[in-house]
Amino acid sequence: MPALETPLHFLTGAELDAAALASLLDRAAALKAAPLSSRVLDGRAVALLFQKPSTRTRTSFETGVFELGGHPMVLRGEELQITRGESVRDTALVLSRHVAAIGLRTGSEEELEELAAHATVPVVNMLSPLHHPCQAIADLETLREAYGELEGRVLAYVGDGNNVARSLAVLGGLAGMEVRVAAPAGYQLEDGWGAVLTDDPAEAVAGADAVYTDVWVSMSDDESSAAARRAALAPYRIDDALLDRAAPGAFALHCLPAHPGEEITEAVLYGDRQRIWDQAENRRHAQKALLELLVSAAAERG
Ligand code: CP
Ligand code: NVA
């Protein structure tokens, strides 16, 4: 792909077009088959800045950067001069002088946008309150492993209409999938992301190829709302009976961390009707393909 058509940053996933997404998913599969076949980060560092906790994102990016020949520079927000008042702008300008790309996990969309506005190297959203596009590309890779071509496949997301649901709507739509979101009033995704919205889990799941859920209380949610969230979302748990309403062979997906007994039953989480642990692995392969795309294009731009 010509470098000029490749976006500098990956903040929501909408920066990609359908062809770029398809070729990224192809590269993810190739890198999964041959993990050390790309050395695109040879001699380069990638800053991975975490303002929020992480298990999968940190380990998959850190391992992935290493496998691409680079140095993963994991930074916690509290280690930086940002905590003493240095601006995000100045942080972006300084990091850009050292690293090939910057990943940011943040509780503030504004912080992400400010970093991207001033960084001269690619910025990757490693989760923000509204988006989690690195999760969605790994999920699409997982779906491709099961189904091949994604065009026309149906993904039913059941639960809180959160950052993961939004990113699945954006990137699933770009892949030509029908993304349905079932959530109760007050927890539904906004219109405008291309998803089919309903408050009925059975309706969303009918004939679907995969059934997805996520936590009911996200990192950006006020903990004082947790009890109300759990009560409202209780009818939206993924269990075997709900999976029975999906297409034959359909499986459960979950970005993790999971709360067995809340949004998903233990039987489904650890059973044979899920590809959840493959999803967790595919974070690394998909993100490596993403870094390769963004860093190669940035190098061609000069
Ligand atoms: N799914 C995901 O992003 O997990 P972490 O919060 O552990 O990174
Ligand atoms: N929706 C969850 C995803 C965690 C990976 C959160 O934002 O906390």
Side-chain angles (χ1 to χ4, degrees):
M1 179 192 312
L4 285 177
E5 291 176 17
T6 303
L8 179 60
H9 303 311
F10 186 72
L11 307 183
T12 68
E15 298 88 356
L16 299 183
D17 61 20
L21 176 61
S23 93
L24 184 150
L25 296 176
D26 283 343
R27 278 301 292 157
L31 289 165
K32 185 170 185 173
L36 301 181
S37 59
S38 171
R39 309 300 281 174
V40 70
L41 291 174
D42 191 24
R44 313 287 305 278
V46 172
L48 304 169
L49 172 50
F50 289 91
Q51 303 279 24
K52 293 277 181 187
S54 168
T55 296
R56 279 141 292 273
T57 305
R58 180 191 167 159
T59 53
S60 58
F61 264 106
E62 188 162 349
T63 312
V65 168
F66 168 75
E67 287 183 354
L68 290 171
H71 171 70
M73 183 190 292
V74 176
L75 302 166
R76 302 282 318 176
E78 63 264 25
E79 298 168 345
L80 299 180
Q81 294 281 14
I82 284 179
T83 54
R84 298 183 58 251
E86 187 169 26
S87 68
V88 174
R89 177 180 187 161
D90 291 3
T91 305
L93 291 172
V94 171
L95 288 179
S96 297
R97 294 297 179 107
H98 295 297
V99 301
I102 305 168
L104 175 63
R105 168 166 288 199
T106 177
S108 158
E109 280 321 302
E110 295 70 30
E111 183 176 55
L112 179 70
E113 284 159 20
E114 181 75 0
L115 188 79
H118 297 290
T120 57
V121 297
V123 172
V124 173
N125 181 358
M126 300 196 299
L127 182 147
S128 63
L130 293 181
H131 300 281
H132 197 4
C134 289
Q135 181 66 52
I137 55 175
D139 301 336
L140 294 181
E141 182 58 24
T142 308
L143 287 159
R144 284 228 315 195
E145 288 174 350
Y147 294 117
E149 177 55 50
L150 294 179
E151 180 86 36
R153 292 285 175 182
V154 176
L155 176 64
Y157 178 98
V158 177
D160 184 26
N162 62 15
N163 47 3
V164 170
R166 196 173 287 103
S167 289
L168 289 169
V170 170
L171 283 147
L174 201 54
M177 299 187 74
E178 179 180 328
V179 179
R180 304 174 186 160
V181 179
Y187 299 91
Q188 183 54 282
L189 201 57
E190 320 81 54
D191 264 327
W193 298 103
V196 178
L197 308 181
T198 174
D199 62 2
D200 182 355
E203 184 184 317
V205 162
D209 296 299
V211 180
Y212 199 118
T213 192
D214 182 18
V215 294
W216 290 343
V217 185
S218 282
M219 290 184 276
S220 60
D221 292 325
D222 186 348
E223 276 298 323
S224 68
S225 70
R229 294 180 145 274
R230 290 190 180 103
L233 287 155
Y236 293 77
R237 176 175 304 118
I238 294 188
D239 58 15
D240 279 295
L242 192 63
L243 277 178
D244 286 342
R245 295 175 174 273
F251 48 84
L253 293 172
H254 191 315
C255 62
L256 303 173
H259 298 78
E262 281 192 22
E263 73 276 0
I264 191 166
T265 60
E266 194 171 315
V268 172
L269 179 63
Y270 301 113
D272 57 8
R273 303 174 85 185
Q274 53 77 25
R275 289 185 178 238
I276 292 167
W277 310 102
D278 288 343
Q279 275 180 278
E281 176 184 337
N282 286 338
R283 292 292 303 276
R284 173 161 45 96
H285 310 304
Q287 288 159 187
K288 285 172 68 182
L290 176 70
L291 286 172
E292 186 183 64
L293 174 73
L294 297 179
V295 169
S296 304
E300 283 180 46
R301 267 194 201 95

